[in-house]
Amino acid sequence: MHTKIMEGIAGASTNMKLLNTPFRVYKEAERRGDTAVMERAMGYVGDFADKAEGYQKKAEEGMKQEAKEAREKAKAEQENAVRKRREEREELEKRIAESRNEDTDTISISESGKAASNEKTDSVQTDADNGISVEETTDVVKTEPVIYTKNSKLSKPESGTNISVSA
């Protein structure tokens, strides 16, 4: 809470409580018929009422000031959030650019591989029609094993080499 608001509320409350004393004196003087005391008491009541109103205005100014500060703070936070998002986006774009510039592996499928793939998909599609299982169709496409070197060059295995695995 802003200090002007606290000061305004406390001052208005105090002056409203102090206003009760001269008003009580006014009522007693009215019963007695003493007009001079009545006028003096009403002067005090008016003074306290004016002071209470002044403190009320002070509290309203404080509330306006606090609202303005809250708007400015919210705007600053929003600008910081936008700036942060912009920095994150730039960093992400930088990472994407770096990943594009790095050496990447590419895969190219040879014509024989495409043909083998087409044959495989054709046999799988006819599977539903002729009752042949998928396991049987995989045996249709026979390819020799291929080994790649570190430099992505194709290396054919030696024809006389037999590989056996025992478990």
Side-chain angles (χ1 to χ4, degrees):
M1 187 179 286
H2 204 270
T3 55
K4 281 189 176 182
I5 296 172
M6 290 187 295
E7 185 179 341
I9 291 173
S13 173
T14 303
N15 279 298
M16 288 304 288
K17 288 178 185 174
L18 289 175
L19 187 137
N20 290 334
T21 305
F23 196 68
R24 190 178 17 197
V25 170
Y26 171 81
K27 285 185 179 180
E28 286 178 17
E30 184 180 32
R31 270 183 271 170
R32 287 187 311 223
D34 192 359
T35 56
V37 174
M38 286 174 44
E39 287 178 9
R40 224 176 341 167
M42 281 310 285
Y44 288 124
V45 168
D47 289 342
F48 286 127
D50 290 342
K51 286 181 184 178
E53 188 176 324
Y55 280 114
Q56 182 181 1
K57 287 180 182 178
K58 194 172 198 175
E60 288 173 0
E61 288 174 15
M63 288 189 294
K64 287 178 184 177
Q65 206 171 24
E66 186 176 23
K68 181 181 177 183
E69 289 173 3
R71 281 192 303 269
E72 290 173 356
K73 183 178 178 183
K75 185 178 179 181
E77 288 177 0
Q78 185 179 18
E79 288 173 358
N80 285 338
V82 168
R83 184 182 45 81
K84 262 186 190 176
R85 279 188 236 122
R86 188 175 296 134
E87 288 173 359
E88 289 173 358
R89 186 183 59 211
E90 289 172 359
E91 184 178 322
L92 180 62
E93 288 174 358
K94 190 185 295 183
R95 277 194 241 147
I96 290 171
E98 287 175 1
S99 68
R100 286 182 183 163
N101 292 338
E102 292 179 3
D103 294 331
T104 56
D105 295 336
T106 57
I107 299 174
S108 58
I109 301 173
S110 65
E111 292 300 321
S112 62
K114 289 179 185 177
S117 175
N118 286 340
E119 289 175 14
K120 184 175 180 178
T121 57
D122 290 342
S123 64
V124 171
Q125 289 174 353
T126 59
D127 177 33
D129 297 335
N130 60 15
I132 301 173
S133 67
V134 175
E135 289 82 18
E136 293 175 26
T137 58
T138 56
D139 293 337
V140 173
V141 179
K142 304 250 182 197
T143 58
E144 294 184 22
V146 180
I147 299 173
Y148 290 96
T149 63
K150 290 182 181 178
N151 298 333
S152 301
K153 302 289 182 188
L154 184 62
S155 172
K156 297 250 183 192
E158 296 176 9
S159 60
T161 306
N162 286 337
I163 301 173
S164 65
V165 178
S166 61

